[in-house]
Structure formats: C-alpha cells, structure tokens
Amino acid sequence: MPQNIYKVAKTLSSRTNIKTIKIINDYLHTHLKYHISLFEYQLFDCYKMSSSEKENLLTNYINQKLIKTYNNQSLKEIITTRHKFNKKFYPFLNYKWLELNGDNITDFYEFIENKEYIYAKYDLKTKNDTKKIKIDLKNYTYVYNDLYLSKMTILESVIKQDEVLERLNPNNLSFIRFITFKDDIIFSYLVTSKEDYEVTASNQIIASINLDTGLIDSPFYDLEKNIYEEHPLTKSPLLWLTIPKWPRTKRLVSRIKDTIPDNKYLQIDIVMTSDGPSLKDISTCPNYKEFQLLSLLNHQKLIKDIFN
C-alpha cells in the first residue's frame, strides 16, 4: 500500500469516527470507479459523499474531457505569448503596452514619458518574472537596451486598482475569476493574496461572488479549507464586499468569450482598475479545483448543477 494513501487516510480518520482501513477501502473503490485522485479525495471530503455525489463530482478526469470536447487548443499559443495576447485582446485591456523590437526607441521614449513607473515582462507567460522600473528619462537609451538584451520586451503601464479592492490588499492586484461554459458565465470568485506580494497558488485565498449582484457571498478559503472572514494583513472585512461596476464587468467577460467562439469552456481573469474592468488573463484549462471546492463549501453544487 502506498505510504501517502495510508497517511491521508490516517489524517482523515483522526478528524472523524471512521476507521483508517475503511477510508482506505473507500478511497481505492472511489479511485477505480470514479477516477478521483487522492488529492481530490481529500480536498473534496469524498469520504462523506454518496456514490451519486462522487459520480457527479468535477474532477481532473472530467475537466480534461470538457477541455478536449469544448476547446480549440490552437488558442494556446496566443494566450501564452504576451505580445500575441495583447494584440488580439487589446480592446479589453484597460492599460497601455509596448513591445520592444530593437528598433523602436522613439516609441519607448513616448511610452515612458510622463510616467513614474512601468512594468517590464518576458514575452512568454511561463516566465512570470515582472520588473517594476522607475522612470529616468536621462538614461532611457541604457534602459531600453538593457531590457531588450535581457528579453524583457513587453512593457505595461502600471495599473491603479479600484479603491474597494485596494483597501482589501494594497500590496498586490486582486482579480475576479470567471468560468464560462458555452454561452453562459457559470461561476465567479475573487482571488487575492493573504500576504504582501502577488497572488500565487500557495498564498491565495478565494471567495465566491454572487453572479446576479456582485456580492461576496461566502467567507474566503484557501485550498486547505481554512476560513478567513477578514484579510490577514489589512484586517479588512471580506464577507459582503461588493465588486464595483459588476454589470459592466459581466458584459466585458461576455464580449471577451464571444471573440473566441471555438472555445466554450474558459477561465477569464479580470482586474478592477480605477477606470473599470480590464482583462488580465485567459485560460483554456480552467482550474476546476477552485470553483468546485467553493461550490461544494457554499452551495453543495456538483457537476450536473454547474454544467447543465
């Protein structure tokens, strides 16, 4: 028996009155019949579920089938390359950007003029390093050459976050994640960092947003299912926060998905700037773990309820 199965079963047993061996047997049966991984079994508390609930759980196995059925992966090159992404989705970006090509130093000067800071990024999104640069017009030629030679060729103006989300966490950009399926927005939730630097998988906390009202209608959770009713750093209350410009934001998401009609199952991330919503990112591989967990914790919805 793999050691990690025993370890997880023992941990779950310590939280319940269920014997370790019974949890092990249930997991093995669940894994073989419903393709539920050990991580999913623990994350979604599958030991509490009926056979029907397990059958209808959104797992990686089912998520991959949805992706294969409803998405055209030719979009992947565009959404993983910043200059292609920005060109295709420029109408939905609420900020200015510039690509350095080695021969556009005049454009660079005009871009940085009257700015205090800019962000420099690699073209490939897999290289997620971002450099915040203080503008010094006296040395702009040196800065241009340094960025170009280091391949940080995508420049973006600094986004000023909406004051509601700025109060929540002023040290990073929180964002709204939308899940779309076919012609509908089926789920939305707020993602922010519980620490003083940008959102990562290990520091993020998430809370569901009511699609009709834009109201945060649940506590925040991390993926260990810890509950946060106020932000750990700012002590700002989290529950009942209302996302500003909500109808406008949903219209933007609908317009974005309509530009890529060959992809029917999307994850669309939106940043709320002081000037309104702005596209942050798109994925053709939605993070099923986050919204299935929130859905279970708050509404007890399973896959048949979500994908009708």
Side-chain angles (χ1 to χ4, degrees):
M1 179 192 303
Q3 186 67 28
N4 54 344
I5 296 177
Y6 177 78
K7 185 177 179 180
V8 168
K10 192 172 182 180
T11 300
L12 296 177
S13 178
S14 69
R15 299 173 187 167
T16 67
N17 294 321
I18 307 173
K19 291 184 178 180
T20 301
I21 188 63
K22 187 172 182 180
I23 292 177
I24 290 172
N25 289 336
D26 183 64
Y27 164 69
L28 293 174
H29 172 76
T30 298
H31 175 66
L32 290 172
K33 187 168 184 179
Y34 305 113
H35 304 281
I36 293 174
S37 70
L38 184 61
F39 174 80
E40 292 164 340
Y41 186 85
Q42 185 174 19
L43 178 66
F44 299 137
D45 292 333
C46 291
Y47 62 93
K48 298 178 181 178
M49 291 183 179
S50 66
S51 296
S52 175
E53 288 171 330
K54 291 174 184 175
E55 184 179 7
N56 293 306
L57 189 69
L58 181 57
T59 62
N60 182 57
Y61 176 78
I62 297 174
N63 199 54
Q64 291 302 319
K65 289 177 72 173
L66 288 167
I67 290 167
K68 186 175 180 180
T69 301
Y70 291 104
N71 287 346
N72 181 347
Q73 292 302 319
S74 63
L75 183 65
K76 187 174 181 179
E77 184 181 356
I78 294 173
I79 61 179
T80 56
T81 309
R82 284 193 169 92
H83 81 275
K84 292 181 179 180
F85 180 89
N86 289 359
K87 284 178 180 176
K88 182 170 182 62
F89 298 107
Y90 184 69
F92 313 117
L93 305 180
N94 209 340
Y95 57 84
K96 302 294 185 183
W97 72 284
L98 177 70
E99 180 186 11
L100 305 183
N101 60 19
D103 194 33
N104 59 345
I105 196 165
T106 300
D107 294 336
F108 174 69
Y109 185 88
E110 292 175 354
F111 181 79
I112 65 174
E113 196 174 18
N114 301 319
K115 291 183 174 68
E116 186 178 0
Y117 292 96
I118 59 168
Y119 289 126
K121 301 179 179 181
Y122 294 105
D123 195 25
L124 285 178
K125 288 189 175 184
T126 50
K127 299 185 74 172
N128 200 30
D129 292 337
T130 297
K131 183 185 289 186
K132 189 175 183 179
I133 299 172
K134 185 173 176 60
I135 299 303
D136 181 2
L137 292 177
K138 294 179 182 178
N139 297 315
Y140 77 94
T141 302
Y142 170 79
V143 174
Y144 180 97
N145 290 329
D146 181 59
L147 290 172
Y148 183 71
L149 292 174
S150 63
K151 298 185 178 180
M152 298 194 84
T153 56
I154 304 300
L155 309 182
E156 297 175 358
S157 58
V158 174
I159 291 174
K160 181 173 174 54
Q161 190 167 216
D162 181 272
E163 62 180 359
V164 172
L165 298 180
E166 185 74 5
R167 287 196 300 271
L168 180 65
N169 190 347
N171 300 306
N172 64 73
L173 286 175
S174 303
F175 58 89
I176 306 150
R177 177 159 286 171
F178 290 87
I179 307 298
T180 67
F181 183 64
K182 296 184 179 178
D183 295 324
D184 299 316
I185 299 170
I186 61 170
F187 207 85
S188 65
Y189 53 102
L190 184 64
V191 183
T192 190
S193 170
K194 60 185 177 184
E195 298 169 342
D196 61 355
Y197 52 91
E198 67 178 295
V199 174
T200 64
S202 62
N203 71 19
Q204 72 175 30
I205 51 177
I206 56 179
S208 59
I209 303 172
N210 185 291
L211 279 174
D212 294 325
T213 64
L215 192 71
I216 301 290
D217 60 2
S218 80
F220 275 73
Y221 299 91
D222 58 25
L223 286 183
E224 294 181 353
K225 291 173 283 191
N226 296 309
I227 298 176
Y228 301 82
E229 294 188 353
E230 63 178 24
H231 195 279
L233 287 179
T234 62
K235 306 304 179 186
S236 177
L238 299 172
L239 193 58
W240 310 126
L241 180 77
T242 299
I243 304 299
K245 306 176 181 69
W246 187 244
R248 178 178 167 188
T249 303
K250 289 199 298 181
R251 288 196 299 270
L252 179 71
V253 171
S254 294
R255 287 171 56 210
I256 292 167
K257 71 176 180 60
D258 288 346
T259 65
I260 40 178
D262 290 344
N263 293 268
K264 299 293 188 181
Y265 178 40
L266 295 169
Q267 174 180 289
I268 300 174
D269 293 346
I270 301 293
V271 174
M272 190 60 65
T273 76
S274 56
D275 296 323
S278 177
L279 176 61
K280 179 181 184 289
D281 210 353
I282 296 174
S283 175
T284 54
C285 302
N287 190 327
Y288 74 98
K289 296 186 292 291
E290 294 175 351
F291 69 90
Q292 176 62 101
L293 179 63
L294 281 174
S295 192
L296 281 171
L297 290 171
N298 300 314
H299 309 296
Q300 297 301 311
K301 290 183 180 178
L302 299 165
I303 188 170
K304 283 186 177 176
D305 301 301
I306 298 172
F307 298 93
N308 51 29

